[in-house]
mmCIF file of all heavy atoms in Angstrom:
data_model
loop_
_atom_site.group_PDB
_atom_site.id
_atom_site.type_symbol
_atom_site.label_atom_id
_atom_site.label_comp_id
_atom_site.label_asym_id
_atom_site.label_seq_id
_atom_site.Cartn_x
_atom_site.Cartn_y
_atom_site.Cartn_z
ATOM 1 N N VAL A 37 -8.815 9.845 3.400
ATOM 2 C CA VAL A 37 -9.555 10.369 4.454
ATOM 3 C C VAL A 37 -8.741 11.147 5.574
ATOM 4 O O VAL A 37 -9.054 12.078 6.191
ATOM 5 C CB VAL A 37 -10.422 9.300 5.149
ATOM 6 C CG1 VAL A 37 -11.096 9.699 6.358
ATOM 7 C CG2 VAL A 37 -11.532 8.822 4.055
ATOM 8 N N LEU A 49 -7.029 9.537 17.993
ATOM 9 C CA LEU A 49 -7.212 8.351 17.245
ATOM 10 C C LEU A 49 -7.665 7.173 18.166
ATOM 11 O O LEU A 49 -8.648 6.446 17.666
ATOM 12 C CB LEU A 49 -5.886 7.899 16.684
ATOM 13 C CG LEU A 49 -5.350 8.657 15.429
ATOM 14 C CD1 LEU A 49 -3.914 8.175 15.035
ATOM 15 C CD2 LEU A 49 -6.231 8.433 14.300
ATOM 16 N N ARG A 61 -0.424 3.520 19.265
ATOM 17 C CA ARG A 61 0.980 3.786 19.444
ATOM 18 C C ARG A 61 1.815 2.712 18.533
ATOM 19 O O ARG A 61 2.732 3.128 17.671
ATOM 20 C CB ARG A 61 1.469 3.815 20.750
ATOM 21 C CG ARG A 61 2.923 4.280 20.916
ATOM 22 C CD ARG A 61 3.583 4.153 22.278
ATOM 23 N NE ARG A 61 2.754 5.087 23.130
ATOM 24 C CZ ARG A 61 2.042 4.636 24.229
ATOM 25 N NH1 ARG A 61 1.903 3.227 24.493
ATOM 26 N NH2 ARG A 61 1.380 5.461 24.972
ATOM 27 N N LEU A 64 0.935 3.173 14.710
ATOM 28 C CA LEU A 64 1.779 4.208 14.184
ATOM 29 C C LEU A 64 3.213 3.993 13.927
ATOM 30 O O LEU A 64 3.859 4.338 12.887
ATOM 31 C CB LEU A 64 1.580 5.454 14.937
ATOM 32 C CG LEU A 64 0.296 6.095 15.098
ATOM 33 C CD1 LEU A 64 0.168 7.278 15.992
ATOM 34 C CD2 LEU A 64 -0.335 6.512 13.747
ATOM 35 N N ALA A 81 3.573 12.435 15.064
ATOM 36 C CA ALA A 81 3.300 11.683 14.003
ATOM 37 C C ALA A 81 2.460 12.476 12.823
ATOM 38 O O ALA A 81 1.535 13.174 13.308
ATOM 39 C CB ALA A 81 2.631 10.375 14.311
ATOM 40 N N THR A 82 2.767 12.361 11.608
ATOM 41 C CA THR A 82 1.853 13.011 10.542
ATOM 42 C C THR A 82 1.883 11.915 9.409
ATOM 43 O O THR A 82 2.765 11.252 9.186
ATOM 44 C CB THR A 82 2.480 14.412 10.123
ATOM 45 O OG1 THR A 82 3.912 14.091 9.529
ATOM 46 C CG2 THR A 82 2.581 15.351 11.127
ATOM 47 N N VAL A 83 0.812 12.076 8.714
ATOM 48 C CA VAL A 83 0.626 11.307 7.426
ATOM 49 C C VAL A 83 1.793 11.775 6.477
ATOM 50 O O VAL A 83 1.899 12.949 6.160
ATOM 51 C CB VAL A 83 -0.728 11.562 6.791
ATOM 52 C CG1 VAL A 83 -0.854 10.715 5.432
ATOM 53 C CG2 VAL A 83 -1.863 11.034 7.788
ATOM 54 N N LEU A 88 7.498 13.908 -5.805
ATOM 55 C CA LEU A 88 7.937 13.346 -7.095
ATOM 56 C C LEU A 88 9.397 12.841 -6.969
ATOM 57 O O LEU A 88 9.677 11.755 -7.556
ATOM 58 C CB LEU A 88 7.895 14.469 -8.198
ATOM 59 C CG LEU A 88 8.167 14.050 -9.557
ATOM 60 C CD1 LEU A 88 7.207 12.943 -10.069
ATOM 61 C CD2 LEU A 88 8.168 15.187 -10.511
ATOM 62 N N ALA A 89 10.218 13.528 -6.142
ATOM 63 C CA ALA A 89 11.598 12.995 -6.108
ATOM 64 C C ALA A 89 11.646 11.558 -5.386
ATOM 65 O O ALA A 89 12.340 10.809 -5.771
ATOM 66 C CB ALA A 89 12.341 14.037 -5.247
ATOM 67 N N THR A 102 14.246 -5.502 -9.134
ATOM 68 C CA THR A 102 13.174 -6.487 -9.404
ATOM 69 C C THR A 102 13.691 -7.571 -10.261
ATOM 70 O O THR A 102 13.387 -8.813 -10.013
ATOM 71 C CB THR A 102 11.998 -5.710 -10.146
ATOM 72 O OG1 THR A 102 11.274 -4.935 -9.175
ATOM 73 C CG2 THR A 102 10.983 -6.809 -10.637
ATOM 74 N N ASP A 111 11.897 -20.299 -10.769
ATOM 75 C CA ASP A 111 12.133 -21.677 -10.723
ATOM 76 C C ASP A 111 11.919 -22.228 -9.321
ATOM 77 O O ASP A 111 11.771 -23.541 -9.131
ATOM 78 C CB ASP A 111 13.562 -22.061 -11.178
ATOM 79 C CG ASP A 111 13.725 -21.828 -12.644
ATOM 80 O OD1 ASP A 111 12.633 -22.016 -13.351
ATOM 81 O OD2 ASP A 111 14.686 -21.672 -13.113
ATOM 82 N N ARG A 112 11.898 -21.406 -8.256
ATOM 83 C CA ARG A 112 11.751 -21.989 -6.943
ATOM 84 C C ARG A 112 10.385 -21.785 -6.351
ATOM 85 O O ARG A 112 10.008 -22.332 -5.396
ATOM 86 C CB ARG A 112 12.748 -21.106 -5.966
ATOM 87 C CG ARG A 112 14.274 -21.399 -6.124
ATOM 88 C CD ARG A 112 14.943 -20.718 -5.033
ATOM 89 N NE ARG A 112 16.492 -20.961 -5.265
ATOM 90 C CZ ARG A 112 17.286 -20.117 -5.767
ATOM 91 N NH1 ARG A 112 16.855 -18.957 -6.147
ATOM 92 N NH2 ARG A 112 18.546 -20.400 -5.864
ATOM 93 N N ASP A 117 2.832 -21.474 -3.517
ATOM 94 C CA ASP A 117 3.056 -20.037 -3.658
ATOM 95 C C ASP A 117 2.195 -19.483 -4.961
ATOM 96 O O ASP A 117 1.536 -18.378 -4.704
ATOM 97 C CB ASP A 117 4.529 -19.841 -4.115
ATOM 98 C CG ASP A 117 5.393 -20.191 -3.008
ATOM 99 O OD1 ASP A 117 5.056 -20.046 -1.748
ATOM 100 O OD2 ASP A 117 6.619 -20.624 -3.370
ATOM 101 N N ALA A 121 -0.733 -16.630 -4.817
ATOM 102 C CA ALA A 121 -0.758 -15.412 -5.793
ATOM 103 C C ALA A 121 -2.001 -15.383 -6.508
ATOM 104 O O ALA A 121 -2.550 -14.321 -6.565
ATOM 105 C CB ALA A 121 0.517 -15.422 -6.615
ATOM 106 N N ALA A 123 -4.942 -16.531 -5.669
ATOM 107 C CA ALA A 123 -6.021 -16.179 -4.873
ATOM 108 C C ALA A 123 -5.923 -14.807 -4.509
ATOM 109 O O ALA A 123 -7.106 -14.061 -4.507
ATOM 110 C CB ALA A 123 -5.858 -16.980 -3.569
ATOM 111 N N GLU A 129 -9.411 -8.507 -8.184
ATOM 112 C CA GLU A 129 -10.345 -8.274 -9.098
ATOM 113 C C GLU A 129 -11.846 -8.147 -8.472
ATOM 114 O O GLU A 129 -12.662 -7.440 -9.064
ATOM 115 C CB GLU A 129 -10.405 -9.556 -10.120
ATOM 116 C CG GLU A 129 -9.150 -9.414 -10.915
ATOM 117 C CD GLU A 129 -9.092 -10.673 -11.904
ATOM 118 O OE1 GLU A 129 -9.618 -10.306 -13.063
ATOM 119 O OE2 GLU A 129 -8.629 -11.681 -11.682
ATOM 120 N N PRO A 134 -10.530 0.536 -3.035
ATOM 121 C CA PRO A 134 -9.158 0.801 -3.663
ATOM 122 C C PRO A 134 -8.055 0.531 -2.614
ATOM 123 O O PRO A 134 -6.926 0.062 -2.957
ATOM 124 C CB PRO A 134 -9.187 2.217 -4.060
ATOM 125 C CG PRO A 134 -10.397 2.774 -3.255
ATOM 126 C CD PRO A 134 -11.325 1.682 -3.230
ATOM 127 N N GLU A 136 -8.041 -1.730 -0.255
ATOM 128 C CA GLU A 136 -7.853 -3.161 -0.122
ATOM 129 C C GLU A 136 -7.158 -3.707 -1.370
ATOM 130 O O GLU A 136 -6.158 -4.474 -1.276
ATOM 131 C CB GLU A 136 -9.178 -3.849 -0.122
ATOM 132 C CG GLU A 136 -9.100 -5.385 0.221
ATOM 133 C CD GLU A 136 -10.443 -6.133 0.100
ATOM 134 O OE1 GLU A 136 -11.484 -5.524 -0.140
ATOM 135 O OE2 GLU A 136 -10.412 -7.322 0.488
ATOM 136 N N LEU A 157 18.388 -8.797 -0.500
ATOM 137 C CA LEU A 157 17.778 -8.290 -1.729
ATOM 138 C C LEU A 157 16.307 -8.185 -1.321
ATOM 139 O O LEU A 157 15.651 -7.152 -1.647
ATOM 140 C CB LEU A 157 17.854 -9.294 -2.729
ATOM 141 C CG LEU A 157 17.098 -8.959 -4.159
ATOM 142 C CD1 LEU A 157 17.491 -7.490 -4.656
ATOM 143 C CD2 LEU A 157 17.375 -10.018 -5.199
ATOM 144 N N THR A 162 11.419 -5.400 -0.040
ATOM 145 C CA THR A 162 10.149 -5.183 0.927
ATOM 146 C C THR A 162 10.027 -3.922 1.444
ATOM 147 O O THR A 162 8.961 -3.313 1.461
ATOM 148 C CB THR A 162 10.322 -6.189 2.019
ATOM 149 O OG1 THR A 162 10.319 -7.519 1.490
ATOM 150 C CG2 THR A 162 9.212 -6.147 3.019
ATOM 151 N N SER A 168 6.145 2.127 -1.514
ATOM 152 C CA SER A 168 5.432 2.337 -2.837
ATOM 153 C C SER A 168 3.932 2.269 -2.647
ATOM 154 O O SER A 168 3.178 2.750 -3.441
ATOM 155 C CB SER A 168 5.776 1.105 -3.782
ATOM 156 O OG SER A 168 7.132 1.111 -4.036
ATOM 157 N N LEU A 176 -3.802 5.165 -8.885
ATOM 158 C CA LEU A 176 -4.950 4.791 -9.113
ATOM 159 C C LEU A 176 -5.928 6.020 -9.540
ATOM 160 O O LEU A 176 -6.895 5.924 -10.162
ATOM 161 C CB LEU A 176 -5.813 3.968 -8.127
ATOM 162 C CG LEU A 176 -5.018 2.677 -7.699
ATOM 163 C CD1 LEU A 176 -5.872 1.967 -6.649
ATOM 164 C CD2 LEU A 176 -5.050 1.713 -8.914
ATOM 165 N N ASP A 177 -5.544 7.060 -8.957
ATOM 166 C CA ASP A 177 -6.482 8.394 -9.115
ATOM 167 C C ASP A 177 -6.421 8.787 -10.505
ATOM 168 O O ASP A 177 -5.402 9.100 -11.110
ATOM 169 C CB ASP A 177 -5.816 9.357 -8.174
ATOM 170 C CG ASP A 177 -6.629 10.668 -8.243
ATOM 171 O OD1 ASP A 177 -7.720 10.704 -7.929
ATOM 172 O OD2 ASP A 177 -6.032 11.681 -8.774
ATOM 173 N N ARG A 183 -6.314 -0.157 -12.641
ATOM 174 C CA ARG A 183 -6.645 -1.458 -11.939
ATOM 175 C C ARG A 183 -6.720 -2.546 -12.948
ATOM 176 O O ARG A 183 -6.210 -3.612 -12.823
ATOM 177 C CB ARG A 183 -7.887 -1.326 -11.024
ATOM 178 C CG ARG A 183 -7.602 -0.598 -9.793
ATOM 179 C CD ARG A 183 -8.925 -0.756 -8.912
ATOM 180 N NE ARG A 183 -9.371 -2.059 -8.706
ATOM 181 C CZ ARG A 183 -10.333 -2.357 -7.935
ATOM 182 N NH1 ARG A 183 -10.898 -1.509 -7.078
ATOM 183 N NH2 ARG A 183 -10.696 -3.735 -7.806
ATOM 184 N N THR A 207 10.066 -9.322 -17.780
ATOM 185 C CA THR A 207 9.538 -8.358 -18.789
ATOM 186 C C THR A 207 8.247 -7.845 -18.157
ATOM 187 O O THR A 207 7.990 -6.555 -18.107
ATOM 188 C CB THR A 207 9.340 -8.897 -20.133
ATOM 189 O OG1 THR A 207 10.647 -9.288 -20.644
ATOM 190 C CG2 THR A 207 8.641 -7.940 -20.970
ATOM 191 N N LEU A 232 -9.536 8.928 -2.891
ATOM 192 C CA LEU A 232 -9.833 7.837 -3.948
ATOM 193 C C LEU A 232 -11.328 7.581 -3.808
ATOM 194 O O LEU A 232 -11.903 7.314 -4.861
ATOM 195 C CB LEU A 232 -9.048 6.627 -3.600
ATOM 196 C CG LEU A 232 -7.637 6.646 -3.972
ATOM 197 C CD1 LEU A 232 -6.761 5.461 -3.593
ATOM 198 C CD2 LEU A 232 -7.443 6.927 -5.482
ATOM 199 N N ASP A 243 -24.139 15.016 8.604
ATOM 200 C CA ASP A 243 -24.683 14.504 7.347
ATOM 201 C C ASP A 243 -23.640 13.668 6.584
ATOM 202 O O ASP A 243 -23.895 13.608 5.385
ATOM 203 C CB ASP A 243 -25.334 15.569 6.552
ATOM 204 C CG ASP A 243 -24.456 16.693 6.130
ATOM 205 O OD1 ASP A 243 -23.154 16.558 6.532
ATOM 206 O OD2 ASP A 243 -24.793 17.484 5.483
ATOM 207 N N ASP A 249 -16.596 3.397 5.511
ATOM 208 C CA ASP A 249 -16.514 2.981 6.874
ATOM 209 C C ASP A 249 -15.200 2.235 7.234
ATOM 210 O O ASP A 249 -14.739 1.394 6.311
ATOM 211 C CB ASP A 249 -17.583 1.947 7.042
ATOM 212 C CG ASP A 249 -17.681 1.455 8.487
ATOM 213 O OD1 ASP A 249 -17.022 2.150 9.298
ATOM 214 O OD2 ASP A 249 -18.391 0.388 8.699
#
Side-chain angles (χ1 to χ4, degrees):
V37 172
L49 284 171
R61 182 184 304 116
L64 291 178
T82 57
V83 175
L88 186 59
T102 291
D111 289 333
R112 292 190 178 98
D117 293 330
E129 291 182 89
E136 182 180 11
L157 177 60
T162 297
S168 297
L176 299 180
D177 178 66
R183 280 186 52 171
T207 297
L232 288 178
D243 59 358
D249 184 9

